[in-house]
Amino acid sequence: MSGPTRSPQHLDTGITGGVGESPIRPDGTLKVRGEYAYSSDLWAEDMLWGATLRSPHPHARIRSVHIGPALRVPGVHAVLTAEDVPGPNRYGLKEQDQPVLAEDVVRYKGEAVALVAADHPETARRALERIEVDYEVLDPVLDAELVAHDDSLPKLHEHGNVVRHQVIRKGDPAATAEVVVSGVYTVGMQDQAFLGPESGLAMPAEDGGVDLYLATQDLHSDRKQTAAALDLPEEKVRMTLSGVGGAFGGREDLSIQVHVCLLALHTGKPVKMVYNREESFHGHVHRHPAKMYYEHGATRDGTLVYVKARQYFDGGAYASKTPVVVGNASTLGVGPYRVPNVDIESWGLYTNNPPCGAMRGLGAVQPTFAYESQMDRLAEELGVDPADLRIRNAIAQGDQIPTGQRLDYPAPVAELLQRLKTIPLPERSQHRDIRDLPGGVSNTTHGEGVVRGIGYGVTIKNICYSEGADDYSTARVRLAVVGGEPLAEVHTAAAEVGQGLVTVQQQIARTELGVERVVIHPNDTSVGAAGSSSASRQTYVTGGAVQTSCAAVRGLVLQRAAEQHGLEPGSLSLAGGKVVSERAGVLADLADVLGDEVIELTREYHHRPTLPMDADGVSELVQVQHAFSAHRAIVDVDTELGLVKVVRLDCVQDVGKAVHPEAIIGQVQGGSAQGLGLAVMEEVQVSGGEMRNASFTDYLIPTILDMPPMEIDIIERGDPHAPYGVRGVGEPPTISTTAREV
């Protein structure tokens, strides 16, 4: 694989020997050795085990719940139902529409109905079997498109079955064109398939509160929702991030948080909960299935004239991130292309299918599949090269997206595609090893019906929160002399979920403070909020917060040094543990300047504000920033047997600033693997509201053996509005990898 194209300067990695060299991740060695402590490894003396009773029906009325038989099981300490929730029996990220425990109606198969705490996990499971629930089974509402237009269907929530309806209109809605292509596109439900299932340990505290150690993506959001349900002030609900075995959006919503805390507070004992794989499938949200109707109009020379789209997103039983998915899908619905006339209408709907919410690239994956399939159809109709058609219509700096927002930062879409086209194609041997054919050693083909296809995919993805959300992060930085050397400690609540944020924070502190030793404080709620590790935002906002805090600390240090030496602070800097003067060179050791003083400052970083859309989808700044990536897939298909082999999957991506080049390559590879999974093997099969493949035996995800060789070209076109010029990295390669119709 090719490495990134690097700019002249990179943030300090803390390695002697050259700029840009990659340090070992602080968590890397332990993970490789299998010694890393994940949240499922937590243990406490006299600990109980929690378990959850879940609905066997996608839609039913609860007539009664009898817990007596379960309470009589030896070793059971508590059995709780909705009546035991002390605060409001509701939670949710955008709308508080989901019960902590179902109280009158269950709206999907797998919904939590009751909880058990016992002295052994098997005892807890046996007690679950003895809880008697009398259900009146109701007809489920399952067709999202029908829900959008049929008011006669039962209302699953008081305000109806529409979570969000969004219209975006630009230009002439009645525009016509010389060449028109249309299609209907569906995307199935995808699971985040993180390797570490939901888990956590709750410890009752002497002040009547609770301490929760868990794997999550957003500590403060979890605390706010949990405290409300527990009827406790937020300061009495303390959360600490434990080892996270992957996330990808599936840990943004609550799962075990309130449940395990309820059991701990009720029993007065530590309680641990760990889902098995099947329960994990039922216990977290998934990628929204979608059905999309698209029509593209263009001139004979291939210039886009209009795009019309109708998008339906099945949000399942509860809202979760459906409003955000609809917003992203609408604003990004024409892709990274100049389109003068746009008419998009999108719906996010309630059904009795499993709840859907955030997953990597939320709201951008589904429309990318549709509009990129449309671009291929249009290229075929016009008889032009698919990549050249995309280049002709590629958006660039200064252009507007359909909401009216003008891109005031680089948007090198055409460059990505041009560079992608120049990557050499693999040669085709006339004497191919059967192991290289679709089907491999199963010996199903000798290549008689195998043809090779080449496809391009390019995407636009918003970075950070959008539509008026106040998106910020908080960082506390402490600088002191420890063991005779300066030591910086960085404390944020930003969740490290595998993306390498711990390393990035250390790099920023080393760069800004000129010190070698940097320690990352455990992430918890004793520091201000950092928001969710989602929307490819943490390097932007938490990186910005760490940079801002470090700059404030540096300012105090340089002020002290300037006073000691009779100089102006502006003429001084920190480097290599020294205070350096522009004229005189090294003035003093940083340790000597600090002495016994400890400097500790907390700062928030807010990016520029965004604005909500009006009724026609107009907003001058609906999103903070956009990221762009492009893929070229080379695929062998056995047209007689339907077997597929991805031969190569090349990528070119703009990252704004390659803060950590090697980590960026890893992010592109990982994101591409998830996109490949959706393209060729992954789909949660839902029938009658029931998951049919809730296990890794039946739900297949790519392994290293499924990943083809990748040539990765990273370019840096810095965003002037972002710290260091960074641009989100993790999500775009997941999106542009996804399959298109052929």
Side-chain angles (χ1 to χ4, degrees):
M1 296 176 201
S2 66
T5 302
R6 299 179 180 176
S7 60
Q9 294 182 341
H10 283 81
L11 273 67
D12 190 351
T13 59
I15 289 291
T16 302
V19 172
E21 292 188 39
S22 186
I24 297 174
R25 283 178 49 151
D27 54 347
T29 302
L30 292 172
K31 287 179 176 177
V32 170
R33 290 178 175 173
E35 299 170 354
Y36 185 79
Y38 291 95
S39 59
S40 56
D41 297 316
L42 295 167
W43 191 267
E45 190 71 27
D46 201 26
M47 181 180 75
L48 301 178
W49 294 82
T52 309
L53 180 70
R54 299 183 179 274
S55 165
H57 309 292
H59 197 199
R61 184 170 288 110
I62 299 175
R63 291 196 182 105
S64 63
V65 181
H66 297 290
I67 64 174
L71 284 169
R72 288 192 287 272
V73 175
V76 170
H77 288 246
V79 181
L80 306 181
T81 66
E83 296 178 354
D84 299 299
V85 179
N89 188 30
R90 289 290 182 275
Y91 69 89
L93 288 172
K94 293 296 180 180
E95 298 186 27
Q96 283 66 55
D97 62 353
Q98 186 162 357
V100 175
L101 294 169
E103 53 194 355
D104 51 2
V105 174
V106 291
R107 296 181 175 88
Y108 72 97
K109 182 174 180 179
E111 182 159 6
V113 176
L115 306 171
V116 169
D119 57 9
H120 192 279
E122 291 302 325
T123 303
R125 293 188 188 102
R126 288 199 304 271
L128 291 180
E129 296 172 356
R130 288 170 168 76
I131 299 174
E132 300 170 358
V133 184
D134 183 13
Y135 293 103
E136 176 191 349
V137 178
L138 305 173
D139 291 333
V141 177
L142 303 174
D143 188 328
E145 183 179 2
L146 186 62
V147 166
H149 304 293
D150 189 346
D151 293 333
S152 69
L153 293 173
K155 289 185 178 180
L156 301 182
H157 293 267
E158 287 185 14
H159 55 280
N161 293 335
V162 177
V163 181
R164 181 175 181 180
H165 175 228
Q166 181 64 53
V167 173
I168 294 184
R169 293 193 173 94
K170 171 189 175 185
D172 181 5
T176 60
E178 298 171 278
V179 181
V180 176
V181 295
S182 60
V184 182
Y185 305 94
T186 59
V187 174
M189 184 183 294
Q190 186 181 17
D191 187 71
Q192 294 85 353
F194 39 71
L195 299 185
E198 291 81 354
S199 53
L201 175 66
M203 310 272 289
E206 292 182 358
D207 65 354
V210 64
D211 293 285
L212 177 59
Y213 302 85
L214 78 161
T216 182
Q217 290 179 245
D218 190 343
L219 288 164
H220 283 78
S221 175
D222 289 356
R223 182 178 71 165
K224 180 178 180 180
Q225 296 174 78
T226 300
L230 297 176
D231 197 24
L232 289 173
E234 289 186 24
E235 60 268 21
K236 286 195 174 184
V237 178
R238 295 165 288 269
M239 295 192 175
T240 300
L241 186 73
S242 298
V244 181
F248 314 115
R251 300 188 197 271
E252 286 197 61
D253 295 75
L254 296 188
S255 54
I256 61 148
Q257 286 88 330
V258 185
H259 295 166
V260 71
C261 289
L262 278 171
L263 290 170
L265 291 171
H266 189 85
T267 62
K269 291 177 176 288
V271 177
K272 177 177 178 176
M273 295 187 81
V274 180
Y275 289 172
N276 61 30
R277 183 57 57 183
E278 181 180 2
E279 186 172 19
S280 179
F281 268 88
H282 290 101
H284 65 253
V285 297
H286 306 83
R287 189 184 301 287
H288 288 69
K291 188 174 184 179
M292 299 161 289
Y293 298 82
Y294 265 76
E295 181 177 303
H296 280 56
T299 61
R300 283 288 172 191
D301 68 359
T303 302
L304 290 174
V305 175
Y306 71 81
V307 172
K308 298 178 182 179
R310 299 294 176 267
Q311 304 176 338
Y312 299 93
F313 294 89
D314 186 347
Y318 298 103
S320 182
K321 279 292 187 74
T322 296
V324 179
V325 167
V326 171
N328 290 349
S330 303
T331 56
L332 308 175
V334 304
Y337 303 115
R338 287 187 300 271
V339 185
N341 306 294
V342 176
D343 184 355
I344 294 178
E345 194 166 5
S346 305
W347 289 264
L349 295 314
Y350 287 120
T351 66
N352 291 120
N353 291 315
C356 292
M359 184 174 173
R360 208 173 201 177
L362 79 167
V365 171
Q366 299 91 333
T368 299
F369 169 71
Y371 64 65
E372 287 298 85
S373 297
Q374 285 285 99
M375 293 299 282
D376 285 343
R377 285 188 171 187
L378 186 58
E380 183 178 3
E381 182 72 20
L382 293 168
V384 300
D385 181 90
D388 291 341
L389 177 66
R390 289 169 168 85
I391 292 169
R392 168 181 282 275
N393 292 283
I395 201 169
Q397 184 169 1
D399 288 336
Q400 290 179 315
I401 63 173
T403 63
Q405 177 176 345
R406 194 171 298 280
L407 304 187
D408 56 355
Y409 41 75
V413 179
E415 182 183 2
L416 298 182
L417 289 160
Q418 288 162 347
R419 293 172 74 117
L420 194 60
K421 287 186 66 177
T422 64
I423 295 176
L425 294 170
E427 295 183 2
R428 298 191 67 178
S429 172
Q430 297 299 317
H431 305 285
R432 300 169 65 186
D433 191 314
I434 194 169
R435 291 171 294 182
D436 295 330
L437 295 173
V441 293
S442 61
N443 199 25
T444 52
T445 179
H446 288 274
E448 299 89 347
V450 175
V451 297
R452 174 162 291 184
I454 299 174
Y456 288 86
V458 62
T459 194
I460 177 174
K461 174 64 174 73
N462 62 303
I463 303 300
C464 300
Y465 299 157
S466 305
E467 299 187 61
D470 184 13
D471 190 4
Y472 71 96
S473 184
T474 313
R476 180 179 298 142
V477 173
R478 184 178 190 271
L479 184 63
V481 176
V482 178
E485 298 181 24
L487 171 71
E489 183 176 301
V490 178
H491 188 187
T492 76
E496 167 62 69
V497 295
Q499 79 275 43
L501 183 63
V502 170
T503 307
V504 167
Q505 291 178 86
Q506 289 179 321
Q507 288 180 255
I508 292 172
R510 289 191 183 104
T511 299
E512 298 295 330
L513 297 176
V515 298
E516 176 67 23
R517 298 169 63 202
V518 180
V519 173
I520 303 299
H521 188 284
N523 306 85
D524 57 34
T525 51
S526 68
V527 69
S532 175
S533 288
S534 60
S536 300
R537 61 182 286 280
Q538 285 292 10
T539 298
Y540 195 129
V541 292
T542 295
V546 173
Q547 180 190 31
T548 302
S549 295
C550 286
V553 169
R554 184 181 67 241
L556 291 181
V557 172
L558 296 181
Q559 180 66 42
R560 165 173 280 215
E563 292 171 356
Q564 292 174 352
H565 293 82
L567 299 171
E568 290 296 322
S571 66
L572 304 180
S573 62
L574 298 178
K578 312 288 185 182
V579 178
V580 181
S581 166
E582 291 178 356
R583 295 183 178 180
V586 175
L587 288 182
D589 287 337
L590 176 56
D592 293 335
V593 174
L594 286 171
D596 295 332
E597 183 179 1
V598 175
I599 299 177
E600 181 176 287
L601 295 175
T602 302
R603 294 289 186 270
E604 289 182 356
Y605 174 80
H606 296 245
H607 57 58
R608 57 179 178 167
T610 56
L611 301 171
M613 291 182 280
D614 66 15
D616 289 327
V618 175
S619 173
E620 294 181 357
L621 191 59
V622 68
Q623 286 147 352
V624 177
Q625 182 195 71
H626 297 92
F628 309 93
S629 70
H631 274 85
R632 183 184 66 189
I634 302 169
V635 183
D636 283 351
V637 180
D638 190 314
T639 57
E640 298 172 356
L641 301 176
L643 300 172
V644 175
K645 180 181 177 63
V646 182
V647 178
R648 278 272 293 275
L649 189 59
D650 301 321
C651 180
V652 184
Q653 183 168 336
D654 170 31
V655 302
K657 174 71 172 179
V659 173
H660 193 297
E662 285 74 13
I664 284 173
I665 294 294
Q667 285 288 297
V668 173
Q669 291 169 335
S672 299
Q674 280 189 311
L676 175 73
L678 180 59
V680 300
M681 61 179 65
E682 292 186 50
E683 183 175 356
V684 178
Q685 297 291 330
V686 180
S687 176
E690 179 178 356
M691 290 187 198
R692 300 293 188 180
N693 57 335
S695 75
F696 284 167
T697 301
D698 300 313
Y699 184 88
L700 303 181
I701 61 175
T703 70
I704 193 169
L705 297 178
D706 297 300
M707 282 300 294
M710 294 185 68
E711 184 79 14
I712 300 174
D713 184 9
I714 299 299
I715 69 172
E716 299 176 273
R717 305 292 178 263
D719 179 353
H721 308 286
Y724 305 112
V726 300
R727 201 186 299 272
V729 174
E731 292 176 291
T734 304
I735 307 167
S736 54
T737 314
T738 305
R740 291 169 308 287
E741 189 174 85
V742 292

